[in-house]
Amino acid sequence: MQFTDLPAITGGKLLALHRDQPVITLITDSRKAVVDEGSVFFAISGTRHDGHAFIRPLYEAGITQFVVESEFDRKNFPSANVLKVNSTVNALQQIAGHHRQQFSLPVIGITGSNGKTIVKEWLYQLLAPDYNIVKNPGSYNSQIGVPLSVWQIQAHHQLGIFEAGISKPGEMENLQPVIRPDYGIFTNIGSAHDEHFLNRQQKIDEKLRLFTTVKKIIYSTGYADLHLSVKSNRLPAFSWGTSADADLPVRKEKNDQYAIYWKEQWHRLSFPFSDEAGIENAMHGVALMLLLGYDPRQIQQRLTSLRSVSMRLEVKEGINGCLVIDDTYNNDLAGLQISLDFLAHQQQRKKRTVILSDILQSGLDEERLVQTVAGKIKASGVQRFVGIGDVLNRHKRFFNLPADFFLTTDDFINHFTADRFSDEVILVKGSRPFQFERITALLQQRVHGTVLEIDLGAVVHNLNYFKSKLKPQTKLMVMVKALAYGSGSVQVANLLQYHRVHYLGVAYADEGAELRKNNITIPIMVMNPSTESFDSLLTNTLEPSVYSMGLLKELIRFLNGRPMSVHVKLDTGMHRLGIDEENLTELLELLTSHRNLRVASVFSHLSGADEEQFDSFTAQQADRFLAMTARLEQIPGVEPIRHLVNTSGILRFPHYHFDMVRLGIGLYGVDTVKESNTLKQAVTLKTTISQIRNINAGESVGYSRKGISDKARTIATIAIGYADGYSRAFGNGKGVVLVNGKRAPVVGNVCMDMTMIDVTGLDAHEGDSVVIFGAGLPVTEVAERIGTIPYEILTNTSDRVRRVFVAEGI
């Protein structure tokens, strides 16, 4: 496809054509741009970011082909090819749809409320021995993700598996011609995105639009509304389930076995798991394989080898100051690009290393495969490469960077020395047979088993939710003080920098200096500076809050005319820190006479933004703030950013957003005002069961014999105590934890390193994971149990608890 083909495909207009070039790489994110002759950037206009703003830096970087929605001054881009369309997203879809039409391979389309990605990945596992398969990388199932996924189809592919998700009516109509599936799988129907549809039936009908041209739709008759819709629309169904009218009858038998009725006889199937969601997802695969002509015995053999799907990357603290990106369970070309993109925006360390295994079942010949891998590695700015496997060894000549090669994982481990890895970001990505989890175990910092898991995908979801509450011109400061509410400042700050927040806020200069040391470059406000920190403020380009006249005078003396940006903190009624109204005249005089001080912002704190009973006082504070700010703005040339509201205020007081808002604990999914059900809990504290024992009535548990039992019980000891931040207040039944999804109360006193829980009647085993707070046990409830607030629970999590950051290629 050439650039000059695009007007006919999209209905767009050529604004500029310097030289016709091929269309090879489709780019929608300027931060992940691949500079190549065949690269085309789609300038997508969003609610808060406009892709057109990034055309100039991309052009200067070497990209010369653009699809735009607005007029374009070709004089400033003499070497550019430019296509103007009504919608760049629609154009992207049309181009991918045209590409899809060039291939006759069978395609499986997947939609539903949940399980789409798992079904897709399991189908890949079941069918990969027989087909060269192309599929969505990760969960690229959106209006943008689907066309980017379909664009991967090449002549050597024999089967396509693509998932599609929608969040509102009309979206599936755009995706159907992009995927054009031959077989469809409707995984299930649930509550996800209900708020954007009139009712559940409309959502079902919208999703079914993906399957207008399929040979068969696979689904479970257990979803009655879905079953009725398929039948009433006379769609070609291949249903499975326990109902009498299922096309593929299924019955549950003893020992978690199932049987299917196929070709006039029953066939037993066993699955390598027993949970209902897993069985449902796997049954979709069974039904498809039957339609594709597989024998039930073949299907059983494939089911036996099914393995759990790792849905996300994990970022872990490594040895010698390293960061380890653990992506050890999946390795294909599309997934490699996602992982390399994720590696590229880890700015905490300057050196980047990739440890990669052979890519299996790619469908490409060896030489072309390794050339492609080497090209991706080079384009991603990797400084060192470690290749493991026969194929990479045979074609090592394509890697023009410092590199080591090993035939097997054992070979690498036998030659491993810790001093070869220091102060770098290491991506570990391998196909499952290579068992790269053994490599991450070597590289990972040794700490005890309690883990604070931060879901970066949930953080981004919450960030975007709060952004949606703001006007386009309103700036966003995100607070990352107190280790980002216990979650880890550097990783969170790096993510926020990547997503272009305007400011970060920290409590003390040391926190800001640590961020600067880890290559965080966006503006940072220091809330509580002291005279001792002035040198650090200046050295690290940190911007202090000026909250008293005494502090301001000390800062002026220290600077001695050197420039610095400052943030003026006003006291409007909280009476914690801030300059009073009676000091405003003196403040104005000092700022006027010392123009080396740039007033970046003026702000205050609301005392009761989260409680309706204080709304009248909040209004008084806002009025005082506006009056005091107006006086500051009388200084010639001073036009400070005004900000007043925190997380609660963002949700409850949109009329007080002013020029900027400060987002805090809401970023982690804590709903401070109980008005939003769309936030995702981003932080999970987990530990493990160290030992299980049985006790009799009258026996006690723990120090001071507080836990005297009234009957025989089963007691588990878990590896967390008050030294990890789990308060002694949770002792003696005040606290509960989750063991395999079931609640277990704390027994006796919480110890320094251990806590005992009652697991009587629960399915619990030594080594099982235990959730202290997280999904099913929100941190707000945990805090309420001991009469405190979520802030305290999160920030009390001690430094010895390992932070693990999980992400799905964000």
Side-chain angles (χ1 to χ4, degrees):
M1 187 184 300
Q2 297 292 120
F3 197 82
T4 50
D5 296 323
L6 300 188
I9 296 171
T10 64
K13 177 184 177 182
L14 275 178
L15 296 183
L17 182 65
H18 173 69
R19 177 174 59 88
D20 199 12
Q21 299 178 50
V23 176
I24 299 174
T25 304
L26 309 183
I27 301 169
T28 60
D29 189 335
S30 62
R31 297 163 297 188
K32 301 177 181 179
V34 176
V35 179
D36 184 80
E37 180 176 337
S39 295
V40 181
F41 177 66
F42 292 75
I44 297 172
S45 299
T47 54
R48 297 193 60 81
H49 295 294
D50 187 350
H52 296 81
F54 305 105
I55 291 176
R56 167 55 63 182
L58 287 174
Y59 181 78
E60 292 174 352
I63 292 177
T64 58
Q65 302 194 103
F66 302 94
V67 179
V68 303
E69 295 176 355
S70 57
E71 291 301 323
F72 198 91
D73 187 357
R74 56 193 301 177
K75 295 178 183 178
N76 295 325
F77 303 89
S79 301
N81 297 337
V82 183
L83 176 72
K84 183 177 182 294
V85 295
N86 293 328
S87 166
T88 48
V89 173
N90 288 346
L92 177 70
Q93 294 164 346
Q94 291 162 343
I95 292 167
H98 179 80
H99 179 71
R100 164 72 177 93
Q101 291 176 17
Q102 312 311 306
F103 301 92
S104 58
L105 79 169
V107 169
I108 300 155
I110 305 169
T111 194
S113 294
N114 300 292
K116 297 183 290 295
T117 302
I118 292 175
V119 170
K120 178 198 68 190
E121 295 297 334
W122 277 355
L123 288 179
Y124 178 81
Q125 292 181 30
L126 292 169
L127 300 173
D130 307 310
Y131 297 91
N132 287 326
I133 297 174
V134 57
K135 60 185 177 69
N136 313 66
S139 57
Y140 270 39
N141 60 23
S142 67
Q143 296 290 295
I144 294 172
V146 168
L148 292 178
S149 300
V150 170
W151 183 253
Q152 301 174 103
I153 299 176
Q154 298 297 320
H156 66 274
H157 290 128
Q158 300 168 315
L159 179 69
I161 307 175
F162 300 109
E163 58 174 296
I166 60 171
S167 58
K168 58 186 179 182
E171 290 185 335
M172 196 63 86
E173 292 181 42
N174 298 326
L175 299 183
Q176 193 282 332
V178 179
I179 298 176
R180 287 201 307 119
D182 299 281
Y183 295 95
I185 295 177
F186 202 129
T187 59
N188 52 51
I189 190 69
S191 60
H193 303 299
D194 269 357
E195 66 274 17
H196 300 302
F197 296 89
L198 296 176
N199 50 48
R200 187 69 57 84
Q201 188 58 52
Q202 185 193 31
K203 185 165 69 171
I204 292 172
D205 292 340
E206 289 290 332
K207 288 180 179 290
L208 283 173
R209 292 179 186 273
L210 178 60
F211 306 131
T212 53
T213 61
V214 298
K215 298 174 183 177
K216 291 290 183 181
I217 303 172
I218 296 167
Y219 65 95
S220 167
T221 57
Y223 299 96
D225 291 344
L226 171 59
H227 188 40
L228 181 62
S229 291
V230 172
K231 292 297 184 184
S232 61
N233 286 296
R234 298 182 179 180
L235 297 173
F238 186 63
S239 62
W240 63 267
T242 57
S243 63
D245 60 343
D247 299 303
L248 178 65
V250 178
R251 70 186 184 199
K252 186 173 183 180
E253 304 204 330
K254 295 179 180 179
N255 301 321
D256 290 327
Q257 282 197 326
Y258 289 78
I260 58 173
Y261 191 74
W262 179 246
K263 293 187 176 179
E264 301 183 352
Q265 61 178 309
W266 287 96
H267 305 269
R268 283 192 176 88
L269 295 176
S270 59
F271 298 86
F273 35 76
S274 58
D275 63 292
E276 290 185 8
I279 299 297
E280 178 180 270
N281 292 333
M283 276 301 306
H284 293 313
V286 170
L288 177 67
M289 293 183 77
L290 291 172
L291 288 179
L292 293 178
Y294 285 83
D295 182 88
R297 287 173 296 181
Q298 289 178 285
I299 295 173
Q300 179 60 76
Q301 290 173 354
R302 300 284 173 89
L303 287 174
T304 303
S305 63
L306 268 187
R307 61 182 184 272
S308 61
V309 177
S310 180
M311 302 290 289
R312 55 202 183 176
L313 308 172
E314 293 188 354
V315 183
K316 305 171 180 178
E317 293 292 334
I319 58 175
N320 303 329
C322 293
L323 284 177
V324 180
I325 303 174
D326 183 353
D327 190 14
T328 56
Y329 295 94
N330 183 32
N331 196 17
D332 56 36
L333 283 174
L336 174 62
Q337 187 60 61
I338 289 178
S339 299
L340 290 173
D341 288 341
F342 186 79
L343 173 67
H345 71 72
Q346 302 302 306
Q347 300 297 317
Q348 308 92 311
R349 309 288 188 274
K350 292 185 178 180
K351 184 177 179 181
R352 295 182 179 86
T353 296
V354 172
I355 302 176
L356 183 73
S357 78
D358 283 348
I359 295 176
L360 307 179
Q361 299 169 328
S362 72
L364 298 174
D365 66 80
E366 285 187 4
E367 188 164 306
R368 183 179 169 195
L369 171 64
V370 178
Q371 280 183 307
T372 303
V373 170
K376 291 179 180 293
I377 295 292
K378 180 180 179 181
S380 298
V382 172
Q383 284 84 30
R384 180 166 59 145
F385 179 75
V386 178
I388 299 177
D390 295 336
V391 175
L392 289 172
N393 267 269
R394 279 195 291 272
H395 303 283
K396 62 179 71 174
R397 67 186 184 280
F398 292 120
F399 293 89
N400 297 316
L401 75 166
D404 297 296
F405 294 88
F406 302 89
L407 287 173
T408 66
T409 302
D410 284 335
D411 191 17
F412 171 87
I413 291 173
N414 291 336
H415 290 85
F416 176 82
T417 56
D419 58 4
R420 296 187 63 196
F421 297 92
S422 177
D423 199 32
E424 56 197 285
V425 186
I426 307 168
L427 169 63
V428 184
K429 187 169 182 64
S431 300
R432 187 67 187 94
F434 285 86
Q435 298 180 329
F436 268 21
E437 64 270 20
R438 298 162 61 201
I439 294 177
T440 58
L442 289 175
L443 295 170
Q444 191 173 333
Q445 193 177 62
R446 303 296 193 270
V447 286
H448 84 92
T450 299
V451 170
L452 188 71
E453 185 178 279
I454 300 92
D455 184 342
L456 297 180
V459 170
V460 171
H461 168 88
N462 297 333
L463 177 68
N464 289 333
Y465 171 74
F466 283 100
K467 282 183 175 180
S468 73
K469 299 295 180 181
L470 309 179
K471 295 177 181 178
Q473 68 271 21
T474 305
K475 298 181 185 297
L476 179 63
M477 174 185 288
V478 181
M479 310 307 298
V480 292
K481 60 183 180 177
L483 281 176
Y485 296 85
S487 64
S489 301
V490 173
Q491 277 290 341
V492 173
N494 185 68
L495 181 72
L496 295 170
Q497 179 169 267
Y498 178 76
H499 285 276
R500 299 189 176 106
V501 303
H502 301 91
Y503 259 95
L504 298 178
V506 298
Y508 299 103
D510 288 349
E511 295 174 314
E514 181 68 15
L515 295 181
R516 289 287 187 246
K517 189 169 71 174
N518 285 276
N519 302 307
I520 303 301
T521 58
I522 57 178
I524 299 174
M525 180 179 77
V526 179
M527 304 284 284
N528 305 318
S530 62
T531 55
E532 294 82 5
S533 68
F534 286 168
D535 190 62
S536 179
L537 294 173
L538 191 63
T539 302
N540 293 288
T541 322
L542 305 175
E543 303 178 10
S545 159
V546 175
Y547 55 79
S548 73
M549 297 307 300
L551 182 71
L552 176 59
K553 292 172 183 176
E554 291 283 353
L555 182 62
I556 289 171
R557 279 193 288 270
F558 168 80
L559 290 174
N560 192 27
R562 290 174 292 184
M564 179 176 282
S565 294
V566 299
H567 301 258
V568 176
K569 172 69 182 295
L570 303 176
D571 182 12
T572 57
M574 189 165 178
H575 302 322
R576 186 175 63 178
L577 291 175
I579 294 173
D580 297 319
E581 192 168 4
E582 61 196 47
N583 298 123
L584 275 184
T585 300
E586 184 183 6
L587 173 66
L588 297 180
E589 291 173 353
L590 284 174
L591 293 177
T592 301
S593 58
H594 295 86
R595 303 315 293 265
N596 59 310
L597 294 178
R598 173 184 167 269
V599 181
S601 83
V602 56
F603 71 106
S604 188
H605 272 84
L606 296 176
S607 300
D610 54 342
E611 297 185 58
E612 186 177 357
Q613 61 177 316
F614 300 127
D615 284 1
S616 60
F617 186 74
T618 295
Q620 293 176 28
Q621 283 193 270
D623 290 342
R624 289 193 200 109
F625 176 71
L626 289 174
M628 295 170 75
T629 300
R631 292 189 61 187
L632 273 176
E633 291 173 336
Q634 294 173 3
I635 303 174
V638 172
E639 297 180 1
I641 299 168
R642 302 167 302 161
H643 49 111
L644 181 64
V645 300
N646 58 3
T647 295
S648 300
I650 293 172
L651 297 175
R652 298 194 65 238
F653 300 107
H655 46 297
Y656 297 149
H657 286 182
F658 303 135
D659 305 314
M660 184 162 71
V661 299
R662 301 186 300 272
L663 175 60
I665 200 168
L667 184 69
Y668 309 99
V670 178
D671 184 1
T672 55
V673 298
K674 296 181 173 62
E675 289 187 4
S676 170
N677 58 5
T678 61
L679 295 177
K680 293 183 178 180
Q681 185 150 324
V683 184
T684 301
L685 180 60
K686 300 190 294 188
T687 189
T688 57
I689 294 177
S690 302
Q691 188 179 45
I692 295 178
R693 68 173 67 245
N694 295 313
I695 65 169
N696 298 316
E699 292 186 309
S700 62
V701 177
Y703 287 119
S704 303
R705 301 206 72 206
K706 293 291 186 182
I708 298 178
S709 181
D710 59 346
K711 62 180 182 180
R713 296 181 185 274
T714 303
I715 303 297
T717 300
I718 59 177
I720 190 171
Y722 57 77
D724 303 298
Y726 194 60
S727 172
R728 293 185 80 246
F730 288 114
N732 304 298
K734 283 286 188 69
V736 297
V737 299
L738 289 181
V739 179
N740 295 321
K742 303 295 183 182
R743 295 193 170 208
V746 173
V747 177
N749 287 326
V750 174
C751 307
M752 180 181 289
D753 308 301
M754 292 169 281
T755 299
M756 286 67 72
I757 59 174
D758 185 353
V759 294
T760 305
L762 301 184
D763 178 21
H765 307 276
E766 292 179 2
D768 281 358
S769 179
V770 177
V771 174
I772 308 302
F773 56 76
L777 188 58
V779 67
T780 47
E781 178 189 337
V782 172
E784 288 169 357
R785 284 181 167 274
I786 59 170
T788 187
I789 56 177
Y791 299 81
E792 183 176 352
I793 298 296
L794 290 174
T795 58
N796 276 356
T797 306
S798 76
D799 288 347
R800 80 175 189 177
V801 172
R802 177 165 48 109
R803 271 68 173 172
V804 173
F805 299 86
V806 298
E808 194 180 336
I810 58 176

